[in-house]
C-alpha cells in the first residue's frame, strides 16, 4: 500500500441550475467554466483510499481539499497527481474557483500533473473521442451517473449519488493509470 501518486477528480455544476433547463446543449457546454459554474465535489485517492469532499458550500470544499493536498504533499512535494482531462478541466477549475472564493491554495508545479487522457491519446490536439465513461466500459468499471445528471443531483441535495460518482471515477482513473503503466503508455512525453 505504498501508492506513490495522487488521483484527483472534481465535479461541477452551473451556478444557476434553474437557467440550465432553458439552455440548448451548446449553451449548456459554454457554462462549464470557472466563472459560470462551481465545484460541488472533489475526490482524492491516495494510498488506495478515497477522500471525498462534497456539499453545498464550495468554500468549505475548497478549504478542505487544499488542506488535504498540503498534508499529502508537504513530505512528498514532487508526488505526481493523476487525472483524466486534469490539465484542461480539473486544475484550471480548482485554481479559478479558489481565486474567485479567495481561498489560499497550496502551490504545486504543473510538471507533477499527469493527464491520463493526454497520454492515452498521445497528446493528439483538438477534440477526440474517448470519454471517461467509455474507458470505464473498456476496463469493466461502470459509472452509473451521467454528467448531465449532476445539476439535478445537486439541486436535489443527493450527495450520496454524487459521492458514489466521485468514488467510481477515482477508481476508474486509478485503473487507467495502472494500465498505462503496464503498457508503457505513461512514458509517452510531448517533448
Amino acid at each position: 500500500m505504498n501508492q506513490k501518486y495522487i488521483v484527483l477528480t472534481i465535479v461541477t455544476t452551473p451556478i444557476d441550475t434553474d437557467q440550465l433547463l432553458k439552455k440548448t446543449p451548446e449553451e449548456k457546454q459554454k457554462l462549464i467554466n470557472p466563472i459560470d459554474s462551481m465545484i460541488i465535489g472533489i475526490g482524492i485517492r491516495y494510498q488506495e483510499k478515497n477522500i471525498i469532499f462534497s456539499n453545498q458550500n464550495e468554500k468549505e470544499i475548497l478549504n478542505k481539499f487544499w488542506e488535504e493536498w498540503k498534508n499529502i504533499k508537504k513530505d512528498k512535494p514532487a508526488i505526481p497527481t493523476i487525472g483524466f482531462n486534469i490539465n484542461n478541466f480539473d486544475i484550471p477549475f480548482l485554481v479559478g474557483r479558489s481565486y474567485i472564493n479567495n481561498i489560499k491554495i497550496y502551490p504545486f508545479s504543473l510538471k507533477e500533473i499527469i493527464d491520463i487522457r493526454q497520454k492515452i491519446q498521445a497528446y493528439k490536439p483538438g477534440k477526440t473521442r474517448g470519454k471517461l465513461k467509455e474507458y470505464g466500459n473498456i476496463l469493466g468499471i461502470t459509472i452509473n451517473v451521467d454528467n448531465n445528471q449532476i445539476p439535478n443531483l445537486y439541486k436535489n441535495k443527493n450527495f450520496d449519488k454524487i459521492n458514489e460518482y466521485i468514488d467510481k471515477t477515482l477508481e476508474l482513473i486509478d485503473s487507467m493509470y495502472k494500465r498505462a503503466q503496464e503498457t508503457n503508455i505513461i512514458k509517452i512525453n510531448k517533448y
Side-chain angles (χ1 to χ4, degrees), residues 12-86:
T12 66
T13 190
I15 293 168
D16 189 348
T17 53
D18 292 330
Q19 286 297 316
L20 193 64
L21 300 173
K22 302 171 188 168
K23 305 275 184 197
T24 66
E26 294 80 25
E27 291 171 327
K28 288 178 183 178
Q29 191 62 38
K30 288 180 184 174
L31 291 176
I32 308 301
N33 65 72
I35 301 295
D36 298 311
S37 291
M38 63 184 170
I39 295 173
I40 59 170
I42 301 173
I44 297 174
R45 183 175 178 88
Y46 181 64
Q47 300 293 2
E48 304 292 328
K49 184 177 121 194
N50 292 348
I51 305 162
I52 298 172
F53 310 104
S54 70
N55 63 42
Q56 291 191 293
N57 185 329
E58 185 182 37
K59 279 187 169 190
E60 184 179 312
I61 293 169
L62 288 165
N63 275 320
K64 286 181 177 179
F65 163 74
W66 288 114
E67 188 62 33
E68 185 65 30
W69 177 273
K70 180 174 89 175
N71 288 338
I72 293 170
K73 291 183 81 67
K74 69 181 174 196
D75 296 328
K76 303 165 226 57
I79 189 171
T81 300
I82 316 303
F84 185 86
N85 201 27
I86 192 171

Side-chain angles (χ1 to χ4, degrees), residues 147-165:
N147 284 340
N148 298 335
Q149 297 171 300
I150 297 293
N152 281 333
L153 292 173
Y154 176 75
K155 191 174 180 181
N156 295 324
K157 299 179 176 124
N158 191 342
F159 289 100
D160 288 341
K161 200 77 170 163
I162 292 169
N163 291 348
E164 178 185 315
Y165 173 75

Side-chain angles (χ1 to χ4, degrees), residues 132-134 136-137 140-150 153 158 160-172:
L132 184 63
K133 210 170 186 177
E134 293 167 327
N137 292 337
I141 298 172
T142 304
I143 296 179
N144 294 321
V145 174
D146 193 82
N147 284 340
N148 298 335
Q149 297 171 300
I150 297 293
L153 292 173
N158 191 342
D160 288 341
K161 200 77 170 163
I162 292 169
N163 291 348
E164 178 185 315
Y165 173 75
I166 293 169
D167 194 59
K168 275 292 194 186
T169 299
L170 290 169
E171 176 189 339
L172 174 53

